[in-house]
Amino acid sequence: AQSVTQPDIHITVSEGASLELRCNYSYGATPYLFWYVQSPGQGLQLLLKYFSGDTLVQGIKGFEAEFKRSQSSFNLRKPSVHWSDAAEYFCAVVFMEYGNKLVFGAGTILRVKS
Amino acid sequence: DTGVSQDPRHKITKRGQNVTFRCDPISEHNRLYWYRQTLGQGPEFLTYFQNEAQLEKSRLLSDRFSAERPKGSFSTLEIQRTEQGDSAMYLCASMGHTNYGYTFGSGTRLTVV
């Protein structure tokens, strides 16, 4: 069945350190891929998305993500984390054969140590 | 463009009561989605409208749940005979014709006591 997996429930990094959040999907073709961020009690803000083309995608707030077809992965990265990046991050996928709804992973909570 | 608005932001209700939430999408967006998010989980799809037509419903949407989008503008989500398990954040998103630019509202947090 089609699914989205975020293996890490919590990640803690020091301010200024680099960050990588993992996302894997299960699907026979290349889906549309998204990363969203959610602050407590708030809605979801789009960080970046990938449909096709260059597999390294730049987003807002200094985030980037790389699509790796061979690994069915779309990992989110940031070279230097700021305290304001502390939030919950969701990977989401559109599996085209199953309509245009987003299917979300369970999320990764990012804590930033000062 | 004022974004996607959801009302109310918070709702506390007693078990067995009916509740209704409203979502106002971005005006030019013809597609509207409802999601439910429980603590520690990602949002789960509930239902989808294209204009006024409800094109897809999740199995999560029991017969106590009903959604409408009259005239293809705002949408309402009603839950009848609420149960404690309905406590969650209910998110609305809208999207235009292209580019999969989903825009989410801030959500309605429902607490059933």
Side-chain angles (χ1 to χ4, degrees), chain A residues 32 34 36 38 41-46 49 51 88 90 94 96 98-107, chain B residues 9 31 33 35 37 40-45 48 50 56 89 91 95 99-102 104-107 109:
Chain A
Y32 292 175
F34 304 77
Y36 285 86
Q38 186 178 37
Q42 298 299 312
L44 296 156
Q45 182 182 24
L46 178 68
K49 58 188 175 184
F51 297 159
E88 189 160 17
F90 292 96
V94 171
M96 296 310 298
Y98 298 91
N100 54 24
K101 60 183 178 289
L102 289 164
V103 177
F104 287 86
Chain B
R9 290 295 307 275
R31 301 180 186 186
Y33 304 79
Y35 287 83
Q37 184 179 21
Q41 298 297 318
E44 296 173 295
F45 170 77
Y48 153 59
Q50 184 162 315
E56 187 174 354
M89 173 80 89
L91 293 164
M95 184 174 75
N99 209 28
Y100 288 83
Y102 303 88
F104 281 83
S106 296
R109 179 164 296 284

Short mmCIF file of all heavy atoms in Angstrom, two decimals, chain A residues 32 34 36 38 41-46 49 51 88 90 94 96 98-107, chain B residues 9 31 33 35 37 40-45 48 50 56 89 91 95 99-102 104-107 109:
data_model
loop_
_atom_site.label_atom_id
_atom_site.label_comp_id
_atom_site.label_asym_id
_atom_site.label_seq_id
_atom_site.Cartn_x
_atom_site.Cartn_y
_atom_site.Cartn_z
N TYR A 32 4.34 13.22 -6.14
CA TYR A 32 4.66 14.61 -5.85
C TYR A 32 5.01 14.68 -4.36
O TYR A 32 4.32 14.07 -3.53
CB TYR A 32 3.47 15.52 -6.14
CG TYR A 32 3.13 15.65 -7.60
CD1 TYR A 32 2.01 16.36 -8.02
CD2 TYR A 32 3.91 15.06 -8.60
CE1 TYR A 32 1.68 16.49 -9.36
CE2 TYR A 32 3.59 15.18 -9.94
CZ TYR A 32 2.48 15.89 -10.31
OH TYR A 32 2.16 16.01 -11.64
N PHE A 34 6.32 16.85 -0.77
CA PHE A 34 6.21 18.13 -0.08
C PHE A 34 6.81 18.02 1.32
O PHE A 34 6.79 16.95 1.93
CB PHE A 34 4.72 18.53 0.09
CG PHE A 34 3.92 18.59 -1.17
CD1 PHE A 34 3.48 17.43 -1.79
CD2 PHE A 34 3.59 19.81 -1.74
CE1 PHE A 34 2.73 17.48 -2.95
CE2 PHE A 34 2.84 19.87 -2.90
CZ PHE A 34 2.41 18.71 -3.50
N TYR A 36 6.19 20.25 4.95
CA TYR A 36 5.46 21.30 5.65
C TYR A 36 6.03 21.44 7.07
O TYR A 36 6.54 20.49 7.65
CB TYR A 36 3.97 20.95 5.77
CG TYR A 36 3.18 21.11 4.51
CD1 TYR A 36 3.11 20.09 3.57
CD2 TYR A 36 2.50 22.31 4.23
CE1 TYR A 36 2.37 20.24 2.40
CE2 TYR A 36 1.77 22.46 3.07
CZ TYR A 36 1.72 21.42 2.17
OH TYR A 36 0.99 21.59 1.01
N GLN A 38 4.89 22.94 11.01
CA GLN A 38 3.75 23.33 11.84
C GLN A 38 4.25 23.76 13.21
O GLN A 38 4.89 22.98 13.91
CB GLN A 38 2.78 22.16 11.98
CG GLN A 38 1.49 22.50 12.70
CD GLN A 38 0.53 21.32 12.77
OE1 GLN A 38 0.95 20.18 12.95
NE2 GLN A 38 -0.77 21.60 12.63
N GLY A 41 -0.20 24.61 17.68
CA GLY A 41 -1.51 25.23 17.56
C GLY A 41 -1.77 25.94 16.25
O GLY A 41 -2.79 26.61 16.12
N GLN A 42 -0.88 25.77 15.30
CA GLN A 42 -1.01 26.48 14.03
C GLN A 42 -1.28 25.52 12.88
O GLN A 42 -1.18 24.31 13.02
CB GLN A 42 0.27 27.27 13.75
CG GLN A 42 0.58 28.33 14.79
CD GLN A 42 -0.52 29.37 14.89
OE1 GLN A 42 -0.98 29.92 13.89
NE2 GLN A 42 -0.97 29.64 16.10
N GLY A 43 -1.60 26.11 11.74
CA GLY A 43 -1.76 25.31 10.53
C GLY A 43 -0.41 24.95 9.94
O GLY A 43 0.64 25.11 10.56
N LEU A 44 -0.43 24.48 8.73
CA LEU A 44 0.77 23.97 8.06
C LEU A 44 1.27 24.99 7.05
O LEU A 44 0.50 25.55 6.27
CB LEU A 44 0.44 22.67 7.34
CG LEU A 44 0.01 21.53 8.26
CD1 LEU A 44 -0.84 20.53 7.52
CD2 LEU A 44 1.24 20.86 8.83
N GLN A 45 2.59 25.19 7.07
CA GLN A 45 3.21 26.09 6.11
C GLN A 45 4.10 25.28 5.18
O GLN A 45 4.92 24.47 5.63
CB GLN A 45 4.05 27.15 6.82
CG GLN A 45 4.70 28.15 5.88
CD GLN A 45 5.56 29.17 6.60
OE1 GLN A 45 6.06 28.94 7.70
NE2 GLN A 45 5.77 30.31 5.97
N LEU A 46 3.95 25.50 3.88
CA LEU A 46 4.74 24.78 2.89
C LEU A 46 6.18 25.29 2.90
O LEU A 46 6.42 26.50 2.79
CB LEU A 46 4.14 24.96 1.51
CG LEU A 46 4.89 24.32 0.35
CD1 LEU A 46 4.82 22.79 0.45
CD2 LEU A 46 4.31 24.78 -0.99
N LYS A 49 8.50 21.86 -2.40
CA LYS A 49 7.83 20.76 -3.07
C LYS A 49 8.65 20.31 -4.27
O LYS A 49 9.44 21.08 -4.81
CB LYS A 49 6.42 21.17 -3.52
CG LYS A 49 6.39 22.37 -4.44
CD LYS A 49 4.95 22.83 -4.66
CE LYS A 49 4.92 24.12 -5.49
NZ LYS A 49 3.56 24.66 -5.66
N PHE A 51 8.16 18.09 -7.96
CA PHE A 51 7.32 17.37 -8.92
C PHE A 51 8.19 16.59 -9.90
O PHE A 51 7.93 15.43 -10.20
CB PHE A 51 6.43 18.34 -9.70
CG PHE A 51 5.44 19.08 -8.84
CD1 PHE A 51 4.89 20.28 -9.29
CD2 PHE A 51 5.05 18.62 -7.60
CE1 PHE A 51 3.97 20.97 -8.50
CE2 PHE A 51 4.15 19.31 -6.81
CZ PHE A 51 3.60 20.48 -7.27
N GLU A 88 7.26 21.20 14.37
CA GLU A 88 7.04 19.85 13.86
C GLU A 88 7.05 19.90 12.34
O GLU A 88 6.44 20.80 11.74
CB GLU A 88 5.73 19.26 14.37
CG GLU A 88 5.57 17.78 14.05
CD GLU A 88 4.56 17.06 14.91
OE1 GLU A 88 3.73 17.73 15.56
OE2 GLU A 88 4.59 15.81 14.93
N PHE A 90 6.46 17.90 8.67
CA PHE A 90 5.72 16.82 8.03
C PHE A 90 6.14 16.67 6.58
O PHE A 90 6.16 17.64 5.83
CB PHE A 90 4.21 17.09 8.08
CG PHE A 90 3.63 17.04 9.46
CD1 PHE A 90 3.45 18.20 10.20
CD2 PHE A 90 3.25 15.83 10.02
CE1 PHE A 90 2.92 18.16 11.48
CE2 PHE A 90 2.70 15.77 11.29
CZ PHE A 90 2.55 16.94 12.02
N VAL A 94 1.66 13.24 -2.74
CA VAL A 94 0.47 13.01 -3.56
C VAL A 94 0.77 11.81 -4.44
O VAL A 94 1.70 11.83 -5.25
CB VAL A 94 0.12 14.23 -4.42
CG1 VAL A 94 -0.98 13.88 -5.42
CG2 VAL A 94 -0.31 15.40 -3.55
N MET A 96 -0.40 10.01 -7.40
CA MET A 96 -1.25 10.52 -8.47
C MET A 96 -2.39 9.58 -8.85
O MET A 96 -3.46 10.02 -9.24
CB MET A 96 -0.41 10.82 -9.71
CG MET A 96 0.61 11.92 -9.48
SD MET A 96 -0.15 13.38 -8.75
CE MET A 96 -1.31 13.80 -10.04
N TYR A 98 -4.18 8.01 -6.97
CA TYR A 98 -5.16 7.96 -5.88
C TYR A 98 -5.71 9.35 -5.59
O TYR A 98 -6.05 9.67 -4.46
CB TYR A 98 -4.53 7.31 -4.64
CG TYR A 98 -4.13 5.88 -4.93
CD1 TYR A 98 -2.85 5.59 -5.40
CD2 TYR A 98 -5.04 4.84 -4.80
CE1 TYR A 98 -2.49 4.30 -5.72
CE2 TYR A 98 -4.68 3.54 -5.11
CZ TYR A 98 -3.41 3.28 -5.57
OH TYR A 98 -3.05 1.99 -5.88
N GLY A 99 -5.80 10.16 -6.61
CA GLY A 99 -6.37 11.48 -6.45
C GLY A 99 -5.31 12.50 -6.11
O GLY A 99 -4.11 12.22 -6.11
N ASN A 100 -5.74 13.72 -5.80
CA ASN A 100 -4.78 14.78 -5.55
C ASN A 100 -4.71 15.17 -4.08
O ASN A 100 -4.29 16.28 -3.75
CB ASN A 100 -5.11 15.99 -6.42
CG ASN A 100 -6.54 16.43 -6.22
OD1 ASN A 100 -7.14 16.18 -5.19
ND2 ASN A 100 -7.10 17.10 -7.21
N LYS A 101 -5.09 14.30 -3.19
CA LYS A 101 -5.01 14.61 -1.77
C LYS A 101 -3.61 14.33 -1.26
O LYS A 101 -2.89 13.49 -1.76
CB LYS A 101 -6.01 13.75 -0.98
CG LYS A 101 -5.78 12.24 -1.13
CD LYS A 101 -6.83 11.48 -0.38
CE LYS A 101 -6.66 9.97 -0.54
NZ LYS A 101 -7.00 9.54 -1.91
N LEU A 102 -3.22 15.10 -0.25
CA LEU A 102 -1.94 14.90 0.41
C LEU A 102 -2.04 13.74 1.40
O LEU A 102 -3.01 13.64 2.15
CB LEU A 102 -1.55 16.17 1.17
CG LEU A 102 -1.14 17.37 0.34
CD1 LEU A 102 -1.17 18.63 1.19
CD2 LEU A 102 0.23 17.17 -0.26
N VAL A 103 -1.01 12.91 1.40
CA VAL A 103 -0.87 11.85 2.41
C VAL A 103 0.34 12.21 3.25
O VAL A 103 1.44 12.38 2.71
CB VAL A 103 -0.69 10.47 1.76
CG1 VAL A 103 -0.48 9.41 2.85
CG2 VAL A 103 -1.89 10.13 0.89
N PHE A 104 0.14 12.34 4.55
CA PHE A 104 1.18 12.84 5.43
C PHE A 104 1.89 11.73 6.19
O PHE A 104 1.28 10.71 6.53
CB PHE A 104 0.58 13.81 6.46
CG PHE A 104 0.18 15.14 5.91
CD1 PHE A 104 -1.05 15.34 5.33
CD2 PHE A 104 1.06 16.22 5.98
CE1 PHE A 104 -1.42 16.57 4.82
CE2 PHE A 104 0.71 17.45 5.48
CZ PHE A 104 -0.53 17.63 4.90
N GLY A 105 3.17 11.97 6.48
CA GLY A 105 3.86 11.16 7.46
C GLY A 105 3.43 11.57 8.86
O GLY A 105 2.67 12.53 9.03
N ALA A 106 3.95 10.86 9.85
CA ALA A 106 3.55 11.10 11.24
C ALA A 106 4.22 12.32 11.84
O ALA A 106 3.83 12.77 12.92
CB ALA A 106 3.84 9.87 12.09
N GLY A 107 5.22 12.85 11.17
CA GLY A 107 5.87 14.07 11.63
C GLY A 107 7.13 13.82 12.44
O GLY A 107 7.32 12.75 13.03
N ARG B 9 -11.72 28.89 16.15
CA ARG B 9 -10.38 28.37 16.37
C ARG B 9 -10.39 27.24 17.38
O ARG B 9 -9.62 26.28 17.27
CB ARG B 9 -9.43 29.48 16.85
CG ARG B 9 -9.10 30.52 15.80
CD ARG B 9 -8.30 29.91 14.63
NE ARG B 9 -7.11 29.18 15.07
CZ ARG B 9 -5.94 29.75 15.31
NH1 ARG B 9 -5.78 31.04 15.19
NH2 ARG B 9 -4.90 29.00 15.69
N ARG B 31 -10.69 23.99 -5.29
CA ARG B 31 -10.60 22.71 -4.58
C ARG B 31 -10.46 22.96 -3.08
O ARG B 31 -9.70 23.85 -2.66
CB ARG B 31 -9.42 21.90 -5.07
CG ARG B 31 -9.52 21.61 -6.56
CD ARG B 31 -8.34 20.80 -7.06
NE ARG B 31 -8.40 20.67 -8.52
CZ ARG B 31 -7.57 19.92 -9.22
NH1 ARG B 31 -6.64 19.23 -8.62
NH2 ARG B 31 -7.68 19.86 -10.53
N TYR B 33 -10.25 20.91 0.84
CA TYR B 33 -9.98 19.65 1.53
C TYR B 33 -10.20 19.83 3.03
O TYR B 33 -9.88 20.87 3.60
CB TYR B 33 -8.52 19.22 1.32
CG TYR B 33 -8.10 19.10 -0.12
CD1 TYR B 33 -7.77 20.22 -0.86
CD2 TYR B 33 -8.01 17.85 -0.73
CE1 TYR B 33 -7.38 20.12 -2.18
CE2 TYR B 33 -7.62 17.74 -2.06
CZ TYR B 33 -7.30 18.88 -2.77
OH TYR B 33 -6.92 18.76 -4.08
N TYR B 35 -9.06 17.87 6.64
CA TYR B 35 -8.17 16.89 7.27
C TYR B 35 -8.43 16.89 8.77
O TYR B 35 -8.85 17.89 9.34
CB TYR B 35 -6.70 17.25 7.03
CG TYR B 35 -6.21 17.02 5.63
CD1 TYR B 35 -6.43 17.97 4.63
CD2 TYR B 35 -5.52 15.86 5.30
CE1 TYR B 35 -5.97 17.76 3.34
CE2 TYR B 35 -5.06 15.64 4.01
CZ TYR B 35 -5.28 16.60 3.04
OH TYR B 35 -4.83 16.38 1.78
N GLN B 37 -6.38 15.99 12.43
CA GLN B 37 -5.06 15.73 13.01
C GLN B 37 -5.19 15.48 14.49
O GLN B 37 -5.65 16.35 15.23
CB GLN B 37 -4.11 16.91 12.76
CG GLN B 37 -2.70 16.67 13.24
CD GLN B 37 -1.78 17.84 12.96
OE1 GLN B 37 -2.24 18.97 12.75
NE2 GLN B 37 -0.50 17.59 12.94
N GLY B 40 0.21 13.93 17.98
CA GLY B 40 1.30 13.04 17.63
C GLY B 40 1.19 12.39 16.27
O GLY B 40 2.00 11.52 15.93
N GLN B 41 0.20 12.81 15.49
CA GLN B 41 0.00 12.22 14.16
C GLN B 41 0.02 13.30 13.09
O GLN B 41 -0.22 14.48 13.37
CB GLN B 41 -1.33 11.48 14.10
CG GLN B 41 -1.43 10.32 15.06
CD GLN B 41 -0.42 9.23 14.76
OE1 GLN B 41 -0.19 8.89 13.60
NE2 GLN B 41 0.21 8.70 15.79
N GLY B 42 0.26 12.86 11.87
CA GLY B 42 0.11 13.77 10.76
C GLY B 42 -1.36 13.92 10.39
O GLY B 42 -2.20 13.09 10.78
N PRO B 43 -1.70 14.96 9.66
CA PRO B 43 -3.09 15.13 9.23
C PRO B 43 -3.55 13.96 8.38
O PRO B 43 -2.79 13.42 7.57
CB PRO B 43 -3.03 16.42 8.40
CG PRO B 43 -1.82 17.15 8.89
CD PRO B 43 -0.84 16.08 9.25
N GLU B 44 -4.83 13.58 8.60
CA GLU B 44 -5.43 12.49 7.82
C GLU B 44 -6.56 13.07 6.97
O GLU B 44 -7.40 13.83 7.47
CB GLU B 44 -5.99 11.42 8.75
CG GLU B 44 -4.94 10.71 9.58
CD GLU B 44 -5.58 9.79 10.60
OE1 GLU B 44 -6.27 10.29 11.51
OE2 GLU B 44 -5.41 8.56 10.48
N PHE B 45 -6.60 12.67 5.73
CA PHE B 45 -7.60 13.16 4.78
C PHE B 45 -8.99 12.72 5.19
O PHE B 45 -9.22 11.57 5.54
CB PHE B 45 -7.26 12.61 3.39
CG PHE B 45 -8.32 12.84 2.36
CD1 PHE B 45 -8.49 14.08 1.77
CD2 PHE B 45 -9.16 11.80 1.98
CE1 PHE B 45 -9.47 14.28 0.81
CE2 PHE B 45 -10.14 12.00 1.03
CZ PHE B 45 -10.30 13.24 0.44
N TYR B 48 -12.94 15.87 0.14
CA TYR B 48 -12.44 16.79 -0.88
C TYR B 48 -13.60 17.26 -1.75
O TYR B 48 -14.45 16.47 -2.15
CB TYR B 48 -11.38 16.05 -1.70
CG TYR B 48 -11.17 16.51 -3.11
CD1 TYR B 48 -10.79 17.82 -3.40
CD2 TYR B 48 -11.30 15.62 -4.17
CE1 TYR B 48 -10.57 18.23 -4.71
CE2 TYR B 48 -11.08 16.02 -5.48
CZ TYR B 48 -10.71 17.32 -5.74
OH TYR B 48 -10.49 17.72 -7.03
N GLN B 50 -14.48 19.68 -5.23
CA GLN B 50 -14.11 20.49 -6.37
C GLN B 50 -15.33 21.32 -6.72
O GLN B 50 -16.37 20.79 -7.09
CB GLN B 50 -13.66 19.65 -7.56
CG GLN B 50 -13.18 20.50 -8.72
CD GLN B 50 -12.34 19.73 -9.72
OE1 GLN B 50 -11.46 18.97 -9.34
NE2 GLN B 50 -12.62 19.93 -10.99
N GLU B 56 -14.63 13.02 -3.07
CA GLU B 56 -14.00 11.90 -2.39
C GLU B 56 -14.23 12.03 -0.89
O GLU B 56 -14.18 13.13 -0.34
CB GLU B 56 -12.50 11.86 -2.69
CG GLU B 56 -11.80 10.62 -2.16
CD GLU B 56 -10.34 10.53 -2.57
OE1 GLU B 56 -9.88 11.36 -3.37
OE2 GLU B 56 -9.67 9.60 -2.07
N MET B 89 -7.64 18.30 15.92
CA MET B 89 -7.57 19.53 15.16
C MET B 89 -8.14 19.22 13.77
O MET B 89 -7.73 18.26 13.12
CB MET B 89 -6.11 20.00 15.02
CG MET B 89 -5.93 21.19 14.10
SD MET B 89 -6.33 22.74 14.90
CE MET B 89 -4.74 23.14 15.61
N LEU B 91 -8.40 20.57 10.07
CA LEU B 91 -7.72 21.48 9.17
C LEU B 91 -8.44 21.54 7.83
O LEU B 91 -8.89 20.51 7.32
CB LEU B 91 -6.28 21.03 8.94
CG LEU B 91 -5.34 21.10 10.14
CD1 LEU B 91 -4.10 20.26 9.89
CD2 LEU B 91 -4.95 22.54 10.44
N MET B 95 -6.93 24.75 -2.80
CA MET B 95 -5.95 24.70 -3.88
C MET B 95 -6.59 25.20 -5.16
O MET B 95 -7.77 24.94 -5.42
CB MET B 95 -5.46 23.27 -4.09
CG MET B 95 -4.35 23.15 -5.12
SD MET B 95 -3.68 21.49 -5.22
CE MET B 95 -4.96 20.61 -6.08
N ASN B 99 -0.47 23.51 -10.06
CA ASN B 99 0.74 23.67 -9.27
C ASN B 99 0.66 23.09 -7.85
O ASN B 99 1.56 23.28 -7.07
CB ASN B 99 1.12 25.15 -9.15
CG ASN B 99 2.62 25.32 -8.99
OD1 ASN B 99 3.39 24.49 -9.45
ND2 ASN B 99 3.01 26.38 -8.32
N TYR B 100 -0.42 22.42 -7.52
CA TYR B 100 -0.53 21.77 -6.22
C TYR B 100 -0.11 22.70 -5.08
O TYR B 100 0.58 22.31 -4.16
CB TYR B 100 0.30 20.47 -6.20
CG TYR B 100 -0.37 19.41 -7.03
CD1 TYR B 100 -0.19 19.35 -8.41
CD2 TYR B 100 -1.23 18.50 -6.44
CE1 TYR B 100 -0.85 18.40 -9.17
CE2 TYR B 100 -1.89 17.54 -7.20
CZ TYR B 100 -1.69 17.50 -8.55
OH TYR B 100 -2.34 16.57 -9.30
N GLY B 101 -0.57 23.93 -5.18
CA GLY B 101 -0.28 24.90 -4.14
C GLY B 101 -1.33 24.86 -3.05
O GLY B 101 -2.21 25.71 -2.98
N TYR B 102 -1.29 23.83 -2.22
CA TYR B 102 -2.25 23.71 -1.12
C TYR B 102 -1.96 24.81 -0.10
O TYR B 102 -0.83 24.98 0.33
CB TYR B 102 -2.10 22.37 -0.41
CG TYR B 102 -2.25 21.15 -1.29
CD1 TYR B 102 -1.16 20.61 -1.95
CD2 TYR B 102 -3.48 20.51 -1.43
CE1 TYR B 102 -1.28 19.49 -2.75
CE2 TYR B 102 -3.61 19.39 -2.22
CZ TYR B 102 -2.51 18.88 -2.87
OH TYR B 102 -2.64 17.78 -3.65
N PHE B 104 -3.15 25.91 3.76
CA PHE B 104 -3.88 25.43 4.93
C PHE B 104 -4.35 26.59 5.80
O PHE B 104 -3.65 27.60 5.93
CB PHE B 104 -3.00 24.50 5.76
CG PHE B 104 -2.89 23.11 5.21
CD1 PHE B 104 -1.98 22.82 4.21
CD2 PHE B 104 -3.71 22.10 5.69
CE1 PHE B 104 -1.89 21.54 3.68
CE2 PHE B 104 -3.63 20.81 5.17
CZ PHE B 104 -2.72 20.54 4.17
N GLY B 105 -5.50 26.39 6.42
CA GLY B 105 -5.95 27.29 7.47
C GLY B 105 -5.28 26.93 8.79
O GLY B 105 -4.52 25.95 8.87
N SER B 106 -5.58 27.72 9.81
CA SER B 106 -4.97 27.50 11.13
C SER B 106 -5.67 26.40 11.92
O SER B 106 -5.18 26.01 12.98
CB SER B 106 -4.98 28.80 11.93
OG SER B 106 -4.17 29.77 11.30
N GLY B 107 -6.79 25.94 11.42
CA GLY B 107 -7.44 24.80 12.05
C GLY B 107 -8.46 25.17 13.11
O GLY B 107 -8.47 26.29 13.64
N ARG B 109 -9.63 23.52 16.70
CA ARG B 109 -9.33 22.48 17.70
C ARG B 109 -10.61 22.13 18.45
O ARG B 109 -11.20 22.99 19.11
CB ARG B 109 -8.26 22.93 18.67
CG ARG B 109 -7.97 21.84 19.72
CD ARG B 109 -6.68 22.06 20.47
NE ARG B 109 -5.50 21.98 19.62
CZ ARG B 109 -4.97 20.86 19.14
NH1 ARG B 109 -5.52 19.70 19.43
NH2 ARG B 109 -3.88 20.91 18.40
#
